[in-house]
Amino acid sequence: MTEDSVLVIEGADSLLDDDGKPRRTAGTAWTASAHIITAVIGAGVLSLAWAMAQLGWIIGIFSILLFAIVNLYTSNLLADCYRSPDPVTGKRNHSYMEAVRRNLGGKMHMVCAFFQYSNLIGPAIGYTITTAISVVTIRKINCFHQNGTAASCRFSTNPYMIALGTVQIVLSQIPNFHNLSWLSIIAAIMSFGYALIGAGLSLATVIQGKGKSTSLMGGNNIQSSADHNLWNMLIALGNIALASCYSQIAVDIQDTLRSSPPENKVMKKANMIGISTMTVFFQLCACSGYAAFGSETPGNILLSSGFKEPFWLIDIANVFIVVHLVGAYQVIVQPIFGAVETWARERWPSSSFINREYPLIIGRMKFCLSFFRLVWRTIFVAAVTILAMAMPFFNEMLALLGAIGFWPITVYFPVEMYIARKKIKKGAMRWLGLKTLSLVFMLLSLAIAIAAIHGMNQALRKYKPFKYKA
């Protein structure tokens, strides 16, 4: 081998990471925290004022802090599972399911896959619902402004869900997570914008002396039975759980980071930045919204059942919501796309339909088109859109998604992988503490799921699928 050949090989190796993929150059703690903020400051944050109204000041504030602390702790455990067996020098796990397979073995990765992808498909449905309702809210707020708040301003959400689905079919042709940093940054900026508007309008209402009466303890709605108040408190906890959950995409986010400094250390910094920002915003939005509306707090303070003036500012906030959720949708569904396409390539390695990429140039844009990616992702987005049109129930849907995802993905698997990696002996104090943490959140998730199903059953008696008007 000549000296020139050696230089060419060394030059090629310098363009690749240790897993043979193109060298990761853009991923930092700030881009990772932007992905996290995009995922968590989303549809769920605007329901937190309603959650606070159901729980009251003491339980509400404590619950948000508790979920944040548990989320940070288990997310840091998960960050050390990106590489196996050593968290710094081990082999990369490119997905949550791969991390579970290498750390726990057996069929646990299949159980993980069910919960992880259920918890990704669910938010995609929720984002579709919320985006359509936000567009309808713009129409309703303008209608109220022109005709008075007593006017009958009701519009179907179906056309806007179909329009969003069309946009998402186009955006879904973005090949993978590594190409989404710009979209996450835009979405994160939008999320700050509408969260600040919601909190600002709430604080202005309180400062003007127009705030409603509140309570230290929740479940005190005198117009409802004790059972109804208990159901609502559990649904509120589910809303908080969903709003704070991003573990289902944490490994995918970590896979975008540069290899130096070590990814686990950078990801832990991103976890701290993201969760700290999340907690401040959650408390601000929840507390200010509850102080403004009291026990009459609506399910979403920026939708038509909440603020109605100044109409132009609420319109801007809902535009921000739409832009943010369009981006957040892609952050959520890219792991699903990646998992299915990796499986298909391994199953049919010689298929040109699945594996061939066709380079295209449109203006200054260069990208590759895959027929398999075009067909399968279009079918997925269409299915999500149809499900969203059939089930437009905001708070109950959020609670069920939170119950399905928070315990297994955020608590159970990170704890079990940590115990396996550290070889913690059964019966040891640390083992007992970790198992108790997992058990408590399992029981809480079961209670939340029961309450959410009960709430959706009640909602189905009021609304017919595909005929909902906001």
Side-chain angles (χ1 to χ4, degrees), residues 49-120:
W50 178 86
M52 184 72 78
Q54 311 311 309
L55 299 170
W57 289 113
I58 295 175
I59 300 177
I61 292 173
F62 174 77
S63 297
I64 292 174
L65 290 174
L66 177 64
F67 277 101
I69 292 168
V70 171
N71 210 348
L72 179 61
Y73 176 70
T74 57
S75 294
N76 287 342
L77 296 183
L78 187 59
D80 286 333
C81 298
Y82 172 63
R83 288 180 180 266
S84 300
D86 187 88
V88 176
T89 60
K91 189 175 181 180
R92 295 175 189 264
N93 298 311
H94 299 104
S95 68
Y96 197 124
M97 191 168 68
E98 194 173 334
V100 171
R101 181 171 63 244
R102 285 203 178 134
N103 284 280
L104 298 181
K107 298 293 184 181
M108 292 301 291
H109 66 286
M110 299 304 296
V111 178
C112 170
F114 170 77
F115 285 111
Q116 182 189 6
Y117 296 123
S118 296
N119 207 36
L120 290 171

Side-chain angles (χ1 to χ4, degrees), residues 364-385:
R364 295 183 179 181
M365 294 178 59
K366 297 180 181 179
F367 62 96
C368 291
L369 176 68
S370 161
F371 285 128
F372 174 66
R373 186 163 62 234
L374 177 64
V375 172
W376 127 252
R377 294 189 182 191
T378 298
I379 292 171
F380 175 87
V381 173
V384 166
T385 304

Side-chain angles (χ1 to χ4, degrees), residues 3-313:
E3 184 177 343
D4 287 342
S5 299
V6 172
L7 290 174
V8 168
I9 293 171
E10 289 179 350
D13 288 343
S14 68
L15 298 176
L16 301 175
D17 270 328
D18 57 341
D19 58 352
K21 292 189 176 184
R23 184 169 292 279
R24 299 157 176 85
T25 58
T28 65
W30 295 106
T31 60
S33 59
H35 283 312
I36 293 170
I37 292 167
T38 299
V40 296
I41 303 183
V45 70
L46 297 173
S47 70
L48 293 177
W50 178 86
M52 184 72 78
Q54 311 311 309
L55 299 170
W57 289 113
I58 295 175
I59 300 177
I61 292 173
F62 174 77
S63 297
I64 292 174
L65 290 174
L66 177 64
F67 277 101
I69 292 168
V70 171
N71 210 348
L72 179 61
Y73 176 70
T74 57
S75 294
N76 287 342
L77 296 183
L78 187 59
D80 286 333
C81 298
Y82 172 63
R83 288 180 180 266
S84 300
D86 187 88
V88 176
T89 60
K91 189 175 181 180
R92 295 175 189 264
N93 298 311
H94 299 104
S95 68
Y96 197 124
M97 191 168 68
E98 194 173 334
V100 171
R101 181 171 63 244
R102 285 203 178 134
N103 284 280
L104 298 181
K107 298 293 184 181
M108 292 301 291
H109 66 286
M110 299 304 296
V111 178
C112 170
F114 170 77
F115 285 111
Q116 182 189 6
Y117 296 123
S118 296
N119 207 36
L120 290 171
I121 294 170
I125 297 170
Y127 288 173
T128 303
I129 294 170
T130 309
T131 303
I133 292 176
S134 290
V135 177
V136 167
T137 295
I138 295 173
R139 291 190 64 186
K140 292 184 72 170
I141 293 298
N142 293 336
C143 176
F144 288 141
H145 180 72
Q146 294 172 358
N147 305 310
T149 56
S152 177
C153 300
R154 294 179 65 82
F155 305 95
S156 173
T157 57
N158 289 349
Y160 305 106
M161 291 189 189
I162 294 170
L164 175 67
T166 304
V167 171
Q168 293 298 350
I169 287 171
V170 175
L171 289 177
S172 292
Q173 302 315 306
I174 296 173
N176 55 52
F177 224 124
H178 301 271
N179 303 103
L180 282 177
S181 293
W182 63 274
L183 192 60
S184 279
I185 291 169
I186 292 172
I189 293 170
M190 295 295 103
S191 67
F192 281 117
Y194 68 71
L196 286 172
I197 289 173
L201 288 171
S202 298
L203 289 172
T205 301
V206 174
I207 292 170
Q208 292 170 4
K210 298 179 181 178
K212 302 295 178 62
S213 62
T214 59
S215 172
L216 288 176
M217 301 298 291
N220 66 329
N221 191 335
I222 60 174
Q223 296 179 345
S224 302
S225 66
D227 287 347
H228 182 76
N229 287 331
L230 178 60
W231 288 126
N232 281 348
M233 291 177 74
L234 289 171
I235 291 172
L237 290 172
N239 285 184
I240 296 172
L242 179 70
S244 61
C245 184
Y246 68 92
S247 297
Q248 67 271 27
I249 59 171
V251 176
D252 298 88
I253 292 173
Q254 194 166 345
D255 193 43
T256 68
L257 297 175
R258 294 190 293 241
S259 56
S260 180
E263 300 94 346
N264 64 329
K265 293 183 179 179
V266 176
M267 190 63 187
K268 289 176 182 179
K269 181 179 178 181
N271 288 335
M272 177 61 75
I273 295 170
I275 292 176
S276 297
T277 304
M278 172 196 85
T279 305
V280 170
F281 266 78
F282 281 12
Q283 296 286 13
L284 179 63
C285 293
C287 293
S288 59
Y290 181 38
F293 289 98
S295 61
E296 299 174 0
T297 303
N300 185 321
I301 60 174
L302 285 178
L303 299 187
S304 56
S305 55
F307 294 106
K308 295 180 175 62
E309 293 290 347
F311 78 98
W312 58 271
L313 187 59

